[in-house]
């Protein structure tokens, strides 16, 4: 959902009358897509049977088709943990609730299913907030279930009471407070429907303790009651025809592809449209892999640390064919100077995103899964009637940029390893069938740049929120969701120290992820900015984990303490052998301490607050091109 949009009166309404009815709160206007089935799961028919609210909660999750959940028990959710013991659900006991939330995100990203996390009231619930906000920013389908104090003491500052519904209203598609056990099946069914349809996102279900212990009559499937929530699939035919006309007339079109294409499972449809139009494709940080890097139409990732060819393609374009992207500031730079000569086709499931940041000449509301094939059909008809576009000059210009300014790096002068080399070798030795989960910072950008992504759902990162600590628990969730794939957590030494306690979860639950700690002994991206913009005044960025430091902590010893395999690599000639050793170990997690240079920087870079035209390929080096070439 877009941020700061008005609340939907239909969703704000209480769903049933009576003193025990559950109250519901919506955080924003909901997008408009109609699901093929309102109730997620196999839709088994369960005859009415008496049980407790907690038993109904667990049974509802089973009927919704949930297989795995991530959580940590506590007093207010304890009644639900008792029937969980006899359930078919695989519960992964995390070491911190934030880890449960990020694990559910990682699970959702690789499977396309709704991720589920569960926590107790008060601090347990508030520890989920970071992951909920992260899922909100990146449109990840997530249902967070929290216990709440008994309804009789809500509002009295009872022990471990927190108004988690109020706290999460701005960062969820919908937040429920359940105080009547009879409401549990319907509300959970609604939560999964909301989380997985339209623009995906997080939904919170807060269940009071008395609702958990109270008796109710369970039956399935429930009847979902969401007046006003009718997301739209199909784009308007007139808008599609107008878009096709603009595509035929354009001399410098670009397919600007965002994470919505990945969430909409529209990679195959995108391929057809791209090859039909012959237009260059850029894939944002959230869309990496949705269009193969190896395809000749792919010109790279745009944005602050995007390729010169991708950034310049957008800047010089006369038509942006925007699919599931939101014109965020990391892509546009100074918005007023972004793609100044381009008309805009903007297709998105969330109508609030269209023309929010950049006015659309042709707005198309709907699912990209439906819009892209319909647009391809309209373009095909337009080409048949009037001839295809001639993009020869445009491709000559972009091809020259790709050849002149390829991604690369300069070897460090301090004799330490290049982090770019380490990450590129991880990708090359693991291959495109692996899953790569980054933390936030320099290593995130290098992982986006130097690993080649050939398929959807192979790249996970915290894009909108930029959450340090995301990588290890998200990789854990990804491995649970995709146990047969190699899953790498590519983390920084700063990020890794925020959530590395989940190594215990991985070891005990036989979740053998690989963790590559890109150890530059500092908060790398902050240090880069201090180098460039603060006269190399390194205020509070040294972490003392790397070369020639006291190494606190020693990551190899830390891995050993968690009964994981700990390796250290400090020489270029040992990189491949170390990665291969990690790939050969599959009975427990592996942590590799890659000791790299603190002076390596992420290039290209568009400095904050300037036009994308001022992209730098190295410090104080801006490309020179003739836009008429």
């Amino acid at each position: 959902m877009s941020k700061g949009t008005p609340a939907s009166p239909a969703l704000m309404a209480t769903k049933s009358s009576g003193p025990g009815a559950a109250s519901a709160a919506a955080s924003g206007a909901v997008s408009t897509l109609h699901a093929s089935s309102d109730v997620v799961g196999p839709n088994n028919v369960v005859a009415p049977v008496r049980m407790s609210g907690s038993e109904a909660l667990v049974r509802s999750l089973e009927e919704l088709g949930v297989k795995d959940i991530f959580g940590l028990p506590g007093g207010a959710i304890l009644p639900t943990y008792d029937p969980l013991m006899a359930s078919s659900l695989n519960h992964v006991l995390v070491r911190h609730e934030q880890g449960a939330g990020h694990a559910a995100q990682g699970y959702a990203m690789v499977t396309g299913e709704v991720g589920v996390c569960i926590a107790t009231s008060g601090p347990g619930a508030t520890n989920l907030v970071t992951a909920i906000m992260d899922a909100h920013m990146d449109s990840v389908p997530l249902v967070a279930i929290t216990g709440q104090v008994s309804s009789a003491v809500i509002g009295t500052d009872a022990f471990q009471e927190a108004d988690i519904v109020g706290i999460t209203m701005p960062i969820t598609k919908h937040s429920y407070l359940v105080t009547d056990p009879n409401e549990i099946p319907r509300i959970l069914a609604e939560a999964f429907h909301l989380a997985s349809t339209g623009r995906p996102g997080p939904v919170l279900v807060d269940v009071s303790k008395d609702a958990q212990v109270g008796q109710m009559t369970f039956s399935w499937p429930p009847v979902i009651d969401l007046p006003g929530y009718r997301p739209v699939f199909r784009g308007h035919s007139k808008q599609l025809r107008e878009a096709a006309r603009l595509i035929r007339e354009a001399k410098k079109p670009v397919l600007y592809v965002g994470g919505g294409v990945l969430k909409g499972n529209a990679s195959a449809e995108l391929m057809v449209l791209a090859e039909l139009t012959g237009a260059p494709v850029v894939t944002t940080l959230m869309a990496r892999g949705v269009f193969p890097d190896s395809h000749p139409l792919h010109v790279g990732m745009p944005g602050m640390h995007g390729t010169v060819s991708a950034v310049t393609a957008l800047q010089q374009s006369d038509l942006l064919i925007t699919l599931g992207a939101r014109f965020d500031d990391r892509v546009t730079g100074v918005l007023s100077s972004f793609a100044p000569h381009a008309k805009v086709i903007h297709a998105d499931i969330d109508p609030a995103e269209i023309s929010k940041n950049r006015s659309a000449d042709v707005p198309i509301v709907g699912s990209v899964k439906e819009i892209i094939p319909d647009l391809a059909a309209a373009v095909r008809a337009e080409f048949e009637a009037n001839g295809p576009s001639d993009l020869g000059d445009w491709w000559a210009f972009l091809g020259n940029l790709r050849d002149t300014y390829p991604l690369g790096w300069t070897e460090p002068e301090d004799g330490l390893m290049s982090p770019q080399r380490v990450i590129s070798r991880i990708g090359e030795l693991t291959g495109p069938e692996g899953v790569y989960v980054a933390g936030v910072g320099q290593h995130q950008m290098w992982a986006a740049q130097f690993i080649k992504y050939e398929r959807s759902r192979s790249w996970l990162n915290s894009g909108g929120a930029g959450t340090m600590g995301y990588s290890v628990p998200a990789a854990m969730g990804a491995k649970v969701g995709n146990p047969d794939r190699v899953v790498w957590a590519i983390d920084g030494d700063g990020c890794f120290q925020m959530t590395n306690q989940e190594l215990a979860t991985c070891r005990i639950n036989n979740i053998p992820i690989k963790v590559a700690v890109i150890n530059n002994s500092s908060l790398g991206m902050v240090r880069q900015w201090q180098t460039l913009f603060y006269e190399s005044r390194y205020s509070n960025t040294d972490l003392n984990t790397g070369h020639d430091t006291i190494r606190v902590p020693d990551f190899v010893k830390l891995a050993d303490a968690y009964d994981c395999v700990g390796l250290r690599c400090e020489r270029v000639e040992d990189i491949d052998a170390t990665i291969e050793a990690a790939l050969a170990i599959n009975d427990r997690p592996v942590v590799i301490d890659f000791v790299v240079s603190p002076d390596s920087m992420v290039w290209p870079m568009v400095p904050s607050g300037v036009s994308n035209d001022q992209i730098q390929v190295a410090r104080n080096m801006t490309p020179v091109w003739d836009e008429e070439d």
Side-chain angles (χ1 to χ4, degrees):
M1 300 308 300
S2 62
K3 292 63 174 173
T5 52
S8 165
L11 284 178
M12 290 293 288
T14 300
K15 296 302 178 187
S16 63
S17 57
S23 63
S27 63
V30 183
S31 68
T32 55
L33 168 95
H34 182 66
S36 57
S37 172
D38 285 348
V39 178
V40 175
N43 276 287
N44 297 321
V45 176
V46 179
V49 58
R50 294 290 288 176
M51 62 179 64
S52 70
S54 291
E55 291 171 322
L57 196 158
V58 172
R59 183 66 183 273
S60 296
L61 292 175
E62 291 173 339
E63 294 299 333
L64 286 161
V66 175
K67 305 177 194 70
D68 305 283
I69 62 176
F70 305 87
L72 188 68
I77 196 65
L78 206 55
T80 295
Y81 268 79
D82 189 61
L84 198 57
M85 286 190 71
S87 169
S88 64
L89 299 172
N90 171 41
H91 177 275
V92 178
L93 175 62
V94 299
R95 297 305 181 265
H96 191 286
E97 291 90 354
Q98 182 182 351
H102 292 321
Q105 286 182 273
Y107 185 92
M109 284 295 295
V110 298
T111 63
E113 300 170 4
V114 176
V116 182
C117 54
I118 185 167
T120 193
S121 64
T126 58
N127 280 344
L128 287 177
V129 168
T130 296
I132 292 171
M133 186 269 286
D134 198 292
H136 176 63
M137 291 287 283
D138 288 349
S139 302
V140 178
L142 178 76
V143 170
I145 299 168
T146 54
Q148 183 55 274
V149 299
S150 291
S151 57
V153 295
I154 290 176
T156 68
D157 291 332
F159 178 67
Q160 290 194 334
E161 179 190 359
D163 179 11
I164 195 63
V165 168
I167 290 169
T168 59
M169 279 179 65
I171 55 170
T172 57
K173 284 186 75 172
H174 201 38
S175 292
Y176 291 95
L177 172 62
V178 186
T179 58
D180 179 354
N182 292 290
E183 298 293 315
I184 288 173
R186 176 183 58 78
I187 286 176
L188 279 174
E190 288 182 3
F192 274 72
H193 177 62
L194 287 169
S196 60
T197 58
R199 179 177 181 173
V203 178
L204 176 93
V205 180
D206 192 37
V207 189
S208 67
K209 194 167 186 178
D210 54 317
Q212 295 174 61
V213 301
Q215 291 294 303
M216 55 86 69
T217 299
F218 179 89
S219 63
W220 197 267
V223 176
I224 286 181
D225 180 23
L226 291 171
Y229 184 72
R230 292 293 181 269
V232 174
F233 267 131
R234 302 298 291 271
H236 195 285
S237 58
K238 180 180 178 183
Q239 300 297 84
L240 291 164
R241 289 195 299 271
E242 177 62 13
R245 184 185 66 81
L246 290 182
I247 290 171
R248 180 184 58 79
E249 293 176 352
K251 303 299 183 184
K252 301 178 180 180
V254 177
L255 283 157
Y256 166 24
V257 177
V261 176
L262 184 146
K263 303 304 192 316
N265 297 309
S267 180
E269 291 79 2
L270 172 64
M271 177 68 73
V272 172
L273 179 64
E275 293 185 339
L276 173 65
T277 63
V281 178
V282 302
T283 51
T284 68
L285 181 68
M286 299 308 300
R288 302 289 288 116
V290 76
F291 193 81
D293 282 359
S294 61
H295 197 286
L297 294 178
H298 192 257
V299 295
M301 179 181 75
M304 176 177 279
H305 294 293
T307 62
V308 171
S309 53
V311 171
T312 307
L314 292 175
Q315 284 299 99
Q316 303 269 335
S317 174
D318 63 2
L319 178 66
L320 299 182
I321 308 163
T322 309
L323 305 171
R326 56 189 180 87
F327 292 91
D328 69 286
D329 62 297
R330 280 301 196 260
V331 167
T332 66
V334 175
L335 186 60
S336 60
S337 66
F338 177 68
H341 307 298
K343 293 182 178 179
V344 174
I345 299 166
H346 193 174
D348 202 285
I349 192 68
D350 186 354
E353 284 296 344
I354 295 178
S355 296
K356 183 179 79 174
N357 293 330
R358 173 68 177 262
S359 293
D361 296 276
V362 181
I364 309 174
V365 177
S367 165
V368 289
K369 185 78 170 176
E370 302 289 342
I371 287 173
I372 295 176
D374 289 346
L375 179 58
V379 169
R380 193 173 290 109
E382 187 73 28
F383 283 0
E384 289 173 356
N386 300 290
S389 305
D390 181 3
L391 305 181
D393 291 343
W394 182 221
W395 270 112
F397 171 70
L398 295 176
N400 181 57
L401 283 180
R402 280 201 294 202
D403 294 341
T404 307
Y405 302 106
L407 282 174
W409 66 84
T410 302
E411 290 296 329
E413 296 179 356
D414 55 13
L416 296 176
M417 294 189 305
S418 159
Q420 298 97 321
R421 181 181 299 279
V422 168
I423 291 171
S424 67
R425 293 305 295 159
I426 289 173
E428 288 164 7
L429 292 172
T430 305
E433 294 304 313
V435 175
Y436 305 90
V437 188
V440 170
Q442 288 180 313
H443 61 279
Q444 174 191 24
M445 295 298 104
W446 290 320
Q449 291 174 330
F450 292 106
I451 293 175
K452 302 303 180 186
Y453 298 99
E454 298 294 315
R455 61 178 188 86
S456 290
R457 303 188 183 279
S458 60
W459 161 248
L460 284 64
N461 79 126
S462 171
T467 301
M468 293 181 69
Y470 171 89
S471 181
V472 169
M476 176 174 72
K479 185 66 173 176
V480 172
N482 246 338
D484 296 330
R485 294 192 185 275
V486 174
V487 177
W488 281 96
I490 299 175
D491 222 351
D493 45 311
C495 289
F496 180 62
Q497 292 187 73
M498 293 193 171
T499 51
N500 61 33
Q501 70 274 358
E502 300 308 334
L503 288 174
T505 310
C506 291
R507 178 65 185 97
I508 291 171
N509 290 276
N510 298 314
I511 306 170
I513 64 172
K514 326 286 185 191
V515 182
V517 180
I518 309 302
N519 183 4
N520 58 11
S521 198
S522 66
L523 300 172
M525 189 62 85
V526 180
R527 189 179 193 274
Q528 175 167 333
W529 280 53
Q530 288 174 333
T531 301
L532 296 175
F533 308 120
Y534 293 89
E535 300 177 343
S536 298
R537 292 164 56 84
Y538 300 123
S539 174
N540 293 282
T541 47
D542 293 331
L543 294 179
N544 285 288
T545 56
H547 174 74
D548 202 24
T549 73
I550 57 174
R551 281 187 167 144
V552 176
D554 182 317
F555 294 130
V556 174
K557 292 180 180 178
L558 181 69
D560 184 62
Y562 281 117
D563 196 31
C564 302
V565 175
L567 306 172
R568 178 171 288 125
C569 180
E570 300 184 87
R571 303 188 309 162
V572 171
E573 54 265 38
D574 295 333
I575 291 174
D576 282 15
T578 307
I579 295 169
E580 288 166 349
L583 290 171
I585 297 168
N586 293 300
D587 64 339
R588 66 191 63 209
V590 181
V591 177
I592 308 176
D593 180 13
F594 286 107
V595 182
V596 300
S597 172
D599 296 325
S600 294
M601 294 193 192
V602 183
W603 301 106
M605 179 179 181
V606 179
S608 182
V610 304
S611 167
N612 283 353
D613 290 322
Q614 298 181 43
I615 187 173
Q616 297 181 11
V617 293
R619 192 168 186 178
N620 299 320
M621 290 181 60
T622 299
V624 177
W625 58 77
D626 181 354
E627 64 182 72
E628 298 303 320
D629 286 349

